[in-house]
Amino acid sequence: MDFSYSPDGKQIVFSEARGKTNQIFQTSADKGFVCRQITSGNMDYSPIYSADMKLIFFARQENKSISIWSHDMQNNFLANYSQGLNPYPVKGEPAFICVRPNAAGHSEIWKVNYETGVEECIVSQPDRDFTSPSISPDGQWLLFVGSSKIETGSFSYYNTDLFVSRLDGTGFAQLTYHAADDLSPVWSKDGRYIYFVSQRGNKEAKANIWRMTFNY
């Protein structure tokens, strides 16, 4: 369903749909055959390693609630932290970035310190949803997807573009302005480029991978 590389590039952690469950596995990024099962019997997805590779964070859906969990790679302990999805660990801090819906049903981006319990809303706007957060390699910038309502006469729809901000929510900026949806952004290893999926430039509206320079 989804996957991410370990910080050292040697492992891949991914979620796999099996019947009515999503289970998380780890495998070698080179050989990729023998898998270590991380979770079972639940709806788990969006796995990602902590910077020291001691934990794997993931989202677990239970009934109508979605929360952030972790799996300890040394002792196999599971921990449940808070409501949210799309976890992304903050390097050098016992914290992660995640997405949460507000009372109006719009998605916001939050920072949660799982040692102190302090939770901060980083990015929120009353007329937009924000999802898919990731932190730049230098740890300075937060990249994410935001929705924008487009109206053309009697027809209106929500389009998705790319946005950034500092980790404290300052420096908020919209990076793309296009009628096609821009989705799934990731940083290049050096932080100079952003890769993303978009239907732009294709008359059949098929998705392709695009690259843009990050100059902030």
Side-chain angles (χ1 to χ4, degrees), residues 135-141 166 191:
I135 300 173
S136 60
D138 64 5
Q140 301 298 310
W141 290 94
R166 298 283 186 178

Side-chain angles (χ1 to χ4, degrees), residues 123-144:
V123 179
S124 176
Q125 288 186 0
D127 57 346
R128 279 185 168 139
D129 291 289
F130 296 106
T131 59
S132 306
S134 63
I135 300 173
S136 60
D138 64 5
Q140 301 298 310
W141 290 94
L142 187 62
L143 170 67
F144 46 93

Side-chain angles (χ1 to χ4, degrees), residues 76-89:
N76 295 322
F77 286 171
L78 288 171
N80 183 5
Y81 299 110
S82 68
Q83 178 192 19
L85 64 156
N86 295 147
Y88 201 99

